[in-house]
Amino acid sequence: HGVQASFFMCGRAVERTPELAAEVVRRGHEPANHGWVWRPHADYESREAEAAGLLRSHEAIARATGVAPVGFFCRGSPSPWTRELLLAHGYRYDSNAFDDDLPYWDGAMLVLPYALDCNDMKFFHPNGFVVPEQFVAYAEAAMDQLIEEGERGVPKLLNIGFHLRICGRPARFRAVEGILRALATRREKLWVARRCDIAEAARAQI
């Protein structure tokens, strides 16, 4: 489909399957840091412990892919030190935010907000998606709404989230294919981009 995306990678998983991480980058996708393991960074008891986990994951991703990650998003909440640590280690954006539909600045850190509604996690929610067509229809409605807003001069960021353990299942993979087709039919009206590219576009507007 020619769509390039951002892959948030946990360092321990990359260390165990470096060939998969390398293939992701070979196909033009962005390797972003998802922490050493899938845990809230708010659970770290000290700045030093969090820095060690962040750098351990960073190094595993860079070693496997040949690309140093510039974006970060952990499971759950960040700590009081997370953004300061990201800035200190050259990160270009943080996505641990659910409070906007546009990039914004938190001091010197660029924030690219995330969202969980247009996300395959909704297959696990009691009020969420049951069959893949529901996810496709929801994503199409979001695209069309934001296209209308963009045509009025107010463009927005739409996050569409997939997880291997969720949409990697046979029936749910139909949702991945359906959403890719929906994006393809709207390519003239949408910018389908990696988060690192969105970050650079936001920085260019300063």
Side-chain angles (χ1 to χ4, degrees), residues 180-202:
L180 287 174
R181 285 193 296 269
L183 289 168
T185 63
R186 296 163 173 81
R187 284 303 292 264
E188 299 303 316
K189 297 182 177 180
L190 296 172
W191 181 35
V192 182
R194 303 173 302 176
R195 297 182 86 76
C196 58
D197 299 323
I198 297 170
E200 292 312 305

